[in-house]
Amino acid sequence: MAKIIINGGHRIHGEVTIGGAKNSTVALIPAAILADSPVKFDTVPQILDVKNLQLILQAMNVSSTFENGNLSIDPTTIRESDLPSGAIKSLRASYYFMGALLGRFGRATVTFPGGDNLGRRPIDQHIKGFEALGATVTESNDIIHIDASDHGLIGARVALDTVSVGATINIILAAVKAKGQTIIENAAKEPEIIDIVTFLNNMGANIRGAGTDTIRITGVDTLIARNTHTVIPDRIEAGTYMSMAAAFGDGVTVRNVIPEHLESYTSKLIEMGVNLEIGEDAVHIFPSEKLQPVSIKTMPYPGFATDLQQPVTPLLLMAEGESTIYDTIYPKRVRHIAELRRMGGDIATVKPGEIKIGHSDRLIGTTVEAAEIRAGAALIIAGIMADGTTVINNADHILRGYDRIQEKLTNLGVDIAIEGIDLINLMP
Ligand SMILES: CC(=O)N[C@H]1[C@@H](OP(=O)(O)OP(=O)(O)OC[C@H]2O[C@@H](n3ccc(=O)[nH]c3=O)[C@H](O)[C@@H]2O)O[C@H](CO)[C@@H](O)[C@@H]1O
Ligand SMILES: C=C(OP(=O)(O)O)C(=O)O
């Protein structure tokens, strides 16, 4: 396991350019196997999740190359194979191979997905969608078999019981080549869903309504890539750097941002009194003065993202008064709290999903654990703010999803080292 070591106490300044969205990329790569031609992506983030998805592709005889953010995938030689369970378990998004393989072969056998422990992460809505399209789903020994090979997938109406990013994308992937029309009601509206749909439609898919709660998919026979797909900027990475800059910056410009994707987040920063200048595709964060406490509730998009709940906590420690966070999406996603307390933060979980944050004058570096990716991001910010040295163990969780973090933080003036992982060989 990797560790990140930060010698804190130096305010950050300068510029940082945001990479392509992890949560788009991890769905775009499985989606690529639906194509009947090679596909190309650019601004792909350099993260462990991409490496593990490439390993899964390799097992299916799908070749891929990745250099400087340019990812090429050739799915034309794909064959059905056993998938490497280590790579499947390393990230949640491996579950998108269920929908993608089902769309490609009419059946899929995939180990139950792993990924970060945020509390219970059921996939019943994904399965409900596959079954509605005519697939039989069985589970044995942690392996899920989904089969519609007898009669093929037939378009259907699926009303999701919960707004789910994963289920919405997985049903789109299964339905894109199914016979007839599929309608997803109560669909998630995240920008990453629009990105996947843009990629598929540019290849000839017929998907309407992405970004609203009703998505209509009319199945097509072939998908051919005719251009390079540029991944949308990572709004969670952007929010993480904005939090850092507002908490402990002397003027930071965050570039390659779609400000509309961050509205619920920036409106909370503004409510706190953070001084921002929002441009067309960049946000400048001025040094903060007196910050007000706020109350935050995580919600499906366009609400405040659960993935920004943790990165905002170190900033809330700077506010002069008590702030509250309610995580309605993943109430057990609070594993950063005990670690922030150990660094001197006045922060506690008072009920499941409810966090109270008081003003904390000073954080002190110590050894902490990154239990999941965004908890790790919170600890990085706290480590930058803290006096002394912070050692973050289990940092692989962070490297799963934060593009070139050492380089970006060093450019902002952070004294950071990563040990226990060969970053040069991060990409196969
Ligand atoms: C790879 C990726 O894009 N991951 C994101 C995705 O995760 P993930 O796909 O796990 O999250 P979902 O949007 O699917 O889940 C949202 C909520 O619905 C529930 N649910 C979900 C599916 C299901 O079949 N049944 C069910 O009950 C979940 O427990 C959760 O409470 O969205 C989360 C919520 O925005 C983000 O934190 C993750 O970063
Ligand atoms: C929890 C996350 O990722 P995953 O769903 O891949 O575990 C995240 O991106 O915050």
Side-chain angles (χ1 to χ4, degrees):
M1 275 286 183
K3 59 169 83 155
I4 291 182
I5 301 140
I6 295 173
N7 290 311
H10 312 290
R11 296 180 75 83
I12 61 166
H13 62 275
E15 292 188 5
V16 59
T17 300
I18 298 307
K22 160 190 166 272
N23 286 344
S24 267
T25 303
V26 297
L28 287 165
I29 296 173
I33 69 164
L34 287 161
D36 302 293
S37 68
V39 303
K40 285 188 177 156
F41 300 107
D42 63 24
T43 69
V44 173
Q46 296 183 32
I47 54 176
L48 283 176
D49 275 7
V50 169
K51 177 185 173 176
N52 282 310
L53 288 165
Q54 282 186 277
L55 290 175
I56 299 170
L57 291 177
Q58 205 173 43
M60 302 174 189
N61 201 38
V62 172
S63 61
S64 64
T65 60
F66 186 30
E67 212 174 337
N68 293 329
N70 299 307
L71 175 65
S72 302
I73 298 175
D74 184 354
T76 55
T77 52
I78 189 169
R79 53 170 192 251
E80 286 179 277
S81 333
D82 287 343
L83 303 182
S85 57
I88 296 272
K89 285 280 180 206
S90 77
L91 80 163
R92 188 73 189 161
S94 54
Y95 61 22
Y96 292 129
F97 282 111
M98 295 180 189
L101 285 167
L102 196 55
R104 177 94 198 197
F105 295 110
R107 62 185 177 200
T109 295
V110 182
T111 307
F112 202 86
D116 282 357
N117 181 355
L118 319 179
R120 267 186 78 245
R121 301 185 76 178
I123 57 164
D124 55 300
Q125 298 303 303
H126 306 230
I127 290 170
K128 173 177 165 171
F130 301 145
E131 287 176 340
L133 294 171
T136 306
V137 182
T138 50
E139 195 194 325
S140 58
N141 298 331
D142 208 29
I143 294 176
I144 300 175
H145 305 272
I146 310 163
D147 198 346
S149 51
D150 277 358
H151 37 72
L153 293 162
I154 318 274
R157 184 178 288 264
V158 187
L160 295 177
D161 301 327
T162 319
V163 179
S164 158
V165 178
T168 302
I169 294 179
N170 238 338
I171 297 167
I172 293 173
L173 297 179
V176 70
K177 286 180 157 179
K179 284 197 188 68
Q181 195 185 50
T182 298
I183 301 176
I184 308 175
E185 288 168 357
N186 199 25
K189 301 177 195 150
E190 269 68 358
E192 292 74 21
I193 295 172
I194 304 179
D195 200 24
I196 312 312
V197 167
T198 304
F199 167 64
L200 293 169
N201 279 347
N202 282 340
M203 294 200 296
N206 183 347
I207 308 167
R208 300 289 172 261
T212 75
D213 59 10
T214 306
I215 299 179
R216 291 186 168 76
I217 306 137
T218 305
V220 295
D221 290 335
T222 47
L223 295 171
I224 307 277
R226 294 195 170 79
N227 45 30
T228 300
H229 181 84
T230 299
V231 184
I232 58 166
D234 194 314
R235 61 196 166 97
I236 310 300
E237 187 195 9
T240 302
Y241 284 103
M242 284 163 67
S243 229
M244 196 183 291
F248 208 59
D250 269 338
V252 174
T253 303
V254 184
R255 299 201 179 279
N256 191 34
V257 177
I258 298 180
E260 292 75 11
H261 290 174
L262 279 151
E263 261 168 14
S264 56
Y265 184 72
T266 41
S267 65
K268 278 295 161 193
L269 296 191
I270 292 165
E271 193 183 325
M272 286 185 77
V274 172
N275 197 355
L276 302 169
E277 193 173 276
I278 302 177
E280 248 173 54
D281 61 359
V283 179
H284 184 78
I285 299 102
F286 295 92
S288 297
E289 286 159 25
K290 198 167 155 28
L291 294 174
Q292 302 301 320
V294 287
S295 169
I296 292 174
K297 198 174 197 176
T298 68
M299 303 284 275
Y301 189 84
F304 194 101
T306 166
D307 294 354
L308 282 171
Q309 181 259 100
Q310 308 74 5
V312 85
T313 48
L315 172 62
L316 296 179
L317 291 171
M318 299 286 98
E320 301 193 8
E322 189 177 81
S323 297
T324 310
I325 298 180
Y326 303 90
D327 195 332
T328 68
I329 310 285
Y330 288 109
K332 292 195 177 150
R333 203 174 179 184
V334 289
R335 294 165 81 200
H336 49 311
I337 307 301
E339 304 306 280
L340 289 171
R341 280 172 77 89
R342 284 159 28 72
M343 295 178 74
D346 176 8
I347 183 163
T349 312
V350 289
K351 300 188 203 146
E354 185 176 332
I355 306 162
K356 295 265 184 226
I357 304 117
H359 178 75
S360 306
D361 272 332
R362 186 167 171 241
L363 297 178
I364 300 154
T366 184
T367 298
V368 287
E369 297 284 318
E372 48 105 356
I373 172 173
R374 309 300 168 189
L379 297 174
I380 289 208
I381 301 174
I384 292 169
M385 294 159 67
D387 291 334
T389 301
T390 298
V391 176
I392 306 173
N393 287 324
N394 280 333
D396 303 56
H397 288 295
I398 302 168
L399 303 175
R400 268 192 56 211
Y402 278 91
D403 177 48
R404 289 169 291 166
I405 193 164
Q406 185 173 13
E407 185 185 318
K408 290 183 184 184
L409 288 174
T410 304
N411 283 342
L412 289 172
V414 177
D415 179 352
I416 176 174
I418 303 185
E419 286 179 2
I421 195 152
D422 185 354
L423 285 178
I424 294 167
N425 289 322
L426 188 61
M427 298 300 134

